[in-house]
Amino acid sequence: MVLEEAAQGFAALGSEARLQVVLTLVKAGHKGLTVGDIQSRTGMAASTLAHHLKFLSSAGLVQQEKDGRSVINRAAFDHLENLAGYILKECCADEDGIRP
């Protein structure tokens, strides 16, 4: 993962509402949720939720799949793990005196 990609992912999570959507999808697991399910769990207006889902999908944090007349939304677990790993790979690097 490069800096630009990480920055885009963290920026997408920088909104309280979008973070709430991602956390809701993470809690739901790999099965995912329909837009209506997310809306009932978060209390967001449909138009607001649609905007946030589009933003999160563009950032690669949410995967969407058409299932008949519904759209199933899932957390992009691999991408979320890569984001966490990107920031944590630098953990304690300066403690050993390796860096100036």
Side-chain angles (χ1 to χ4, degrees):
M1 178 173 288
V2 295
L3 182 64
E4 183 179 324
E5 186 181 8
Q8 182 182 10
F10 285 117
L13 293 172
S15 155
E16 185 177 321
R18 287 191 296 271
L19 183 57
Q20 182 183 16
V21 170
V22 170
L23 288 172
T24 299
L25 291 172
V26 166
K27 289 176 186 177
H30 295 283
K31 184 176 130 180
L33 297 170
T34 65
V35 173
D37 290 335
I38 300 168
Q39 188 178 4
S40 68
R41 292 180 187 202
T42 62
M44 283 185 206
S47 60
T48 301
L49 179 56
H51 166 76
H52 290 310
L53 285 169
K54 182 178 178 182
F55 197 96
L56 290 165
S57 179
S58 294
L61 299 174
V62 170
Q63 298 167 336
Q64 298 180 309
E65 177 185 341
K66 189 91 166 139
D67 182 24
R69 296 176 67 186
S70 299
V71 175
I72 304 299
N73 298 273
R74 294 179 183 89
F77 290 102
D78 289 343
H79 193 68
L80 289 166
E81 283 182 309
N82 286 338
L83 271 179
Y86 182 83
I87 200 81
L88 293 174
K89 75 179 181 183
E90 297 296 323
C91 177
C92 312
D94 292 340
E95 282 185 354
D96 296 331
I98 297 171
R99 296 188 182 175

